[in-house]
Amino acid sequence: MIVDILPDLSPATAIPRRPYESDGRREEAFAEPDESAMEQSSFEEPTEPSYKIHEEGTNKGLPKLTDGLGFCFSKKAISKSTYTWRCTSRPSGNPCKAIVKQKKNPLLDCLLNYDNVDFTFVPHDQENPHNHPPDFGNQHRVEIFRETKKACVEQKFTDPREILFAEMKKRKSLEGRDMPDVDLATRRLRYKRAKVMPAGNRTSSMEK
């Protein structure tokens, strides 16, 4: 009979895969951080300042001060006894007036040798420390961006996005809120790389 010669059309039995069997992908495949996991990370809002000076922390390669409370400061003025920092949030018409005064030791470089007690915070006004909300985790992002800028110049043919993830991976204790905006950071890195590339290669560098 015709029925007898037809092959068995019942569903195929699934063959169990060995735990470490390759599925055709590289073992160390490049993967982006899990956004949902980033959002779920625990976070406690800091209440006490922890000042840190970051060499080449600004876009222009100048020192930047972070207070661990979500605020950044750049150089305002220097005197014999004081280094004055001002808040970097300075939109036209409504700049934040908060400053930090750092006591200087005349025998030491105040950008390298300092203690938390050397800093005195002066608020924006009597009611508000700042006139804008904090950006928690910026003390980590300043350093991530500084290191990735250097790497993008040295590794001219590596995707800036991949460089960014490699730098983030080094920081095991990085919390979700501390991570940079990946798309924004990648665009900034491409722009920085394009500025140091020869004129003929700038377009291709911006596209990488």
Side-chain angles (χ1 to χ4, degrees), residues 15-206:
I15 301 174
R17 182 187 293 275
R18 294 197 300 271
Y20 301 103
E21 185 175 359
S22 171
D23 59 359
R25 297 184 179 182
R26 291 183 302 169
E27 191 171 291
E28 292 294 334
F30 172 65
E32 299 187 6
D34 185 344
E35 295 289 342
S36 60
M38 289 165 59
E39 291 298 326
Q40 293 171 5
S41 63
S42 59
F43 177 77
E44 293 184 6
E45 186 174 317
T47 56
E48 295 295 328
S50 178
Y51 293 101
K52 183 172 183 178
I53 298 174
H54 308 264
E55 294 184 56
E56 301 181 22
T58 71
N59 289 334
K60 295 182 179 180
L62 301 174
K64 177 178 282 189
L65 174 71
T66 56
D67 62 0
L69 301 176
F71 301 100
C72 291
F73 305 81
S74 58
K75 171 189 168 183
K76 180 182 180 182
I78 304 176
S79 68
K80 291 183 178 181
S81 60
T82 306
Y83 195 114
T84 303
W85 304 82
R86 68 181 180 184
C87 182
T88 56
S89 179
R90 306 190 62 76
S92 178
N94 189 31
C96 183
K97 299 177 182 177
I99 64 172
V100 172
K101 293 185 176 181
Q102 179 187 358
K103 182 173 62 176
K104 292 173 58 181
N105 184 326
L107 301 178
L108 300 173
D109 184 343
C110 69
L111 299 179
L112 300 176
N113 300 278
Y114 57 87
D115 292 310
N116 217 47
V117 294
D118 296 336
F119 299 90
T120 302
F121 176 70
V122 181
H124 172 74
D125 58 34
Q126 293 182 351
E127 298 179 356
N128 304 291
H130 293 261
N131 68 347
H132 58 95
D135 178 21
F136 293 114
N138 55 18
Q139 72 272 26
H140 302 293
R141 292 192 291 276
V142 167
E143 295 196 346
I144 289 173
F145 190 56
R146 180 190 64 197
E147 296 306 313
T148 51
K149 279 193 299 182
K150 295 178 182 178
C152 274
V153 174
E154 296 170 355
Q155 304 172 35
K156 295 182 176 63
F157 302 103
T158 303
D159 185 350
R161 197 180 188 90
E162 189 171 345
I163 292 175
L164 176 63
F165 288 140
E167 184 62 33
M168 291 165 61
K169 190 176 180 180
K170 294 177 185 177
R171 302 169 188 271
K172 304 295 184 182
S173 62
L174 198 66
E175 298 286 352
R177 281 202 183 188
D178 300 337
M179 294 183 179
D181 181 309
V182 173
D183 291 333
L184 176 60
T186 301
R187 288 196 298 271
R188 291 176 65 190
L189 291 172
R190 286 173 179 159
Y191 175 74
K192 290 292 181 183
R193 172 184 280 174
K195 290 183 68 175
V196 300
M197 293 288 284
N201 295 334
R202 287 181 182 176
T203 302
S204 59
S205 175
M206 290 290 284

